[in-house]
């Protein structure tokens, strides 16, 4: 999870281990961009004291952004945001009964004063990319790696045979 043994700068947390298959997409894109991260279980409902410690100690441990995935009532991202001033990005986890709409609405409707950036249901890749963009504001080398990553995305679309003959403009 942490490139070449670097200390994590992005904390990626889920309410349970069952959230990991989705949250690993954030970890993977962060690793691809050379950003050290950690992946942990932090439950808002089952381990509130652990959640408070995690949030309160995150900055002193070197974390600069937190990505939090949660399903159902989805309190984890908001509770973390309430306990730290670090940017928190919420990832709504798909649920069996409502497909993740419950998770999305729980995360996106934070009260004024406690912001949580929220990505689409199940889209931890975008959460990782948003974390990278936040970090890139103060890291020119990372900004270059992120721009190159996005250029590869553009090229993958333009290289599709259906786009033969189309010019790429920048």
């Amino acid at each position: 999870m942490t490139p070449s043994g670097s200390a994590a700068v992005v904390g990626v947390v889920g309410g349970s281990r069952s959230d990991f298959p989705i949250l690993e997409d954030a970890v993977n894109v962060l690793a691809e961009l050379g950003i050290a991260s950690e992946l942990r279980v932090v439950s808002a409902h089952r381990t509130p004291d652990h959640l408070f410690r995690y949030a309160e100690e995150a900055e002193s441990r070197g974390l600069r952004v937190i990505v939090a995935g949660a399903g159902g009532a989805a309190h984890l991202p908001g509770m973390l945001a309430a306990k730290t001033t670090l940017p928190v990005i919420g990832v709504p986890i798909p649920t069996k009964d409502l497909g993740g709409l419950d998770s999305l609405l729980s995360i996106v409707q934070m009260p004024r004063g406690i912001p949580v950036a929220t990505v689409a249901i199940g889209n931890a890749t975008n959460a990782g990319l948003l974390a990278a963009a936040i970090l890139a504001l103060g890291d020119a080398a990372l900004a270059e790696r992120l721009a190159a990553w996005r250029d590869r995305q553009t090229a993958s679309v333009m290289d599709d045979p259906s786009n033969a003959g189309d010019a790429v403009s920048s």
Side-chain angles (χ1 to χ4, degrees), residues 33-56:
L33 292 166
I35 300 169
S37 68
E38 63 185 19
L39 180 59
R40 296 194 180 175
V41 173
V42 178
S43 173
H45 300 111
R46 292 181 294 276
T47 60
D49 294 335
H50 175 55
L51 178 150
F52 285 5
R53 269 191 313 278
Y54 185 88
E56 291 167 347

Side-chain angles (χ1 to χ4, degrees), residues 18-35:
S18 64
D19 298 337
F20 282 14
I22 288 172
L23 295 174
E24 286 168 350
D25 291 343
V27 171
N28 292 338
V29 76
L30 290 165
E32 187 178 340
L33 292 166
I35 300 169

Side-chain angles (χ1 to χ4, degrees), residues 63-123:
L63 295 182
R64 296 184 50 211
V65 180
I66 297 173
V67 171
H75 291 115
L76 180 60
M79 290 302 298
L80 288 164
K83 297 297 285 179
T84 183
T85 57
L86 293 175
V88 175
I89 303 165
V91 179
I93 301 295
T95 55
K96 185 178 88 172
D97 295 323
L98 297 173
L101 184 58
D102 49 344
S103 312
L104 173 66
L105 294 174
S106 293
I107 296 170
V108 79
Q109 297 198 79
M110 288 298 299
R112 186 171 287 115
I114 308 294
V116 173
T118 309
V119 297
I121 297 167
N123 197 337

